[in-house]
Amino acid sequence: MAVRAVRGAVQLDRDERGHMDEQVKRLLTTILERNGLTADDLISIWFTATPDLHSDFPAAAARGLGIVDVPLLCAQELDIEGALPRVVRILAHIESDLPRSEIAHVYLGAAAALRKDIAQ
């Protein structure tokens, strides 16, 4: 079993706790499903949020999905002029037999513009 990293992002429509929770859960669930993973395959998850998001910690959504024994960390994304607003990004470290080339990185909605080279 190898240690791999899987990326993902979602752009929120608005900065509201319930909306963030819903969208981050959707992103995490999609990452797990597309890569055939369960919570037991997770090693750790880094979340970043753009500076315009204040309503909640993105990691709270993971806890709401029952991901309770995996280390989670939230950080603020760099405040770059012209960057896509209201974006939550994920970098998850996983255990998987998938080769790197088969890892499904997930960029939902408008966030697909962030990484057209790997967005599914």
Side-chain angles (χ1 to χ4, degrees), residues 55-112:
S55 61
D56 203 0
F57 295 99
R63 298 294 185 222
L65 284 175
I67 301 171
V68 296
D69 61 349
V70 174
L72 307 177
L73 182 66
C74 294
Q76 187 176 58
E77 193 68 38
L78 294 173
D79 190 9
I80 304 298
E81 188 174 324
L84 196 62
R86 299 178 317 280
V87 174
V88 174
R89 291 173 174 86
I90 290 176
L91 173 63
H93 300 96
I94 61 170
E95 291 181 321
S96 176
D97 287 326
L98 290 173
R100 258 189 223 143
S101 61
E102 291 182 26
I103 297 293
H105 304 282
V106 177
Y107 290 79
L108 299 177

Side-chain angles (χ1 to χ4, degrees), residues 8-13 19-20 22-28 48 50 53 84-90 106-112 114:
V10 64
Q11 183 183 38
L12 306 184
D13 295 329
H19 181 62
M20 179 183 289
E22 172 187 294
Q23 293 303 306
V24 174
K25 283 180 178 176
R26 183 173 143 239
L27 177 59
L28 280 169
T48 65
T50 51
L53 294 174
L84 196 62
R86 299 178 317 280
V87 174
V88 174
R89 291 173 174 86
I90 290 176
V106 177
Y107 290 79
L108 299 177
L114 297 171

Side-chain angles (χ1 to χ4, degrees), residues 34-47:
R34 288 190 187 169
N35 288 287
L37 302 169
T38 67
D40 289 337
D41 299 315
L42 296 170
I43 296 169
S44 65
I45 306 174
W46 282 70
F47 296 87

